[in-house]
Amino acid sequence: SFLDTKRQQLKEIIPRLNKKKVQQPHEVKVFVGWKGIYAAFNTILEELPEGKDYIGFAAGAEEQFSEETKNFFEIYNLKRSEKNYNVKLITNESARPTINKYHYEKNQKKPEYRFVNNIAFNGIIIFGNKVLQVAFDEEEPVALIISSKAMANSFRKVFESYWNTAQK
């Protein structure tokens, strides 16, 4: 009788435990090459709910990018806009002319930019409890996604500090 009671209790508890997703508190994934870059940025599109905010430090001025990088951002910006994300980006003052002349499609939602002199950061996006860092300037592009609430919050604090002093 005692064992039957315990079995019944386990039968009730196990489905609830299976529904709970056990996540590593901290994880880093590395994405290499163009397929990796698309996969890394698709993580934002797959995990961040529609209409949410994300923030970051822009990857740099477009004129320094390869044609493949420019094509990537055209595709990604369309997908990002479809998700109706509210995006705030900080970049170097030197990128202002390029950003001001960047062509967005008619109904495409534009990020809000602020500009600073001699920024040390670039290619960082903070979304949810994750941080994506990307480098396009290598022969083979590379990205990292850090899954960590503590790291995301740390980057948010740095972003907010820059945002509050940056020029519109």
Side-chain angles (χ1 to χ4, degrees), residues 6-21:
K6 292 298 176 188
R7 278 190 199 108
Q8 185 58 36
Q9 288 174 339
L10 282 175
K11 284 182 183 179
E12 293 171 7
I13 292 172
I14 288 175
R16 286 186 285 160
L17 290 175
N18 285 336
K19 286 182 183 178
K20 290 188 176 188
K21 197 174 186 182

Side-chain angles (χ1 to χ4, degrees), residues 29-43 72 132-134 136 140-145:
K29 291 182 181 178
V30 179
F31 301 83
V32 180
W34 283 106
K35 285 184 180 179
I37 295 299
Y38 279 90
F41 276 81
N42 280 337
T43 301
F72 165 78
L132 182 150
Q133 184 161 15
V134 62
F136 291 106
E140 187 171 51
V142 63
L144 303 172
I145 293 183

Side-chain angles (χ1 to χ4, degrees), residues 53-58 80 85-91 99 104 109-115 159 163 166-168:
D53 301 345
Y54 76 74
I55 57 176
F57 297 90
R80 174 194 51 76
Y85 293 143
N86 299 305
V87 180
K88 293 181 178 178
L89 296 172
I90 297 172
T91 192
I99 288 167
Y104 288 95
K109 191 168 186 177
K110 298 177 189 177
E112 182 180 352
Y113 282 94
R114 292 217 179 152
F115 302 90
F159 177 88
W163 188 261
Q167 301 293 316
K168 290 184 180 185

Side-chain angles (χ1 to χ4, degrees), residues 16-77:
R16 286 186 285 160
L17 290 175
N18 285 336
K19 286 182 183 178
K20 290 188 176 188
K21 197 174 186 182
V22 178
Q23 292 183 332
Q24 297 289 336
H26 307 284
E27 177 183 70
V28 176
K29 291 182 181 178
V30 179
F31 301 83
V32 180
W34 283 106
K35 285 184 180 179
I37 295 299
Y38 279 90
F41 276 81
N42 280 337
T43 301
I44 299 170
L45 301 170
E46 292 165 1
E47 294 185 12
L48 192 64
E50 190 170 325
K52 291 292 185 177
D53 301 345
Y54 76 74
I55 57 176
F57 297 90
E62 189 175 278
E63 60 266 3
Q64 75 190 27
F65 291 150
S66 68
E67 284 304 310
E68 189 152 14
T69 305
K70 291 176 187 176
N71 291 336
F72 165 78
F73 275 115
E74 281 184 29
I75 293 167
Y76 176 74
N77 284 334

Side-chain angles (χ1 to χ4, degrees), residues 74 77-78 80-81 103-110:
E74 281 184 29
N77 284 334
L78 287 171
R80 174 194 51 76
S81 188
H103 171 73
Y104 288 95
E105 297 299 321
K106 184 179 179 182
N107 295 325
Q108 194 174 359
K109 191 168 186 177
K110 298 177 189 177

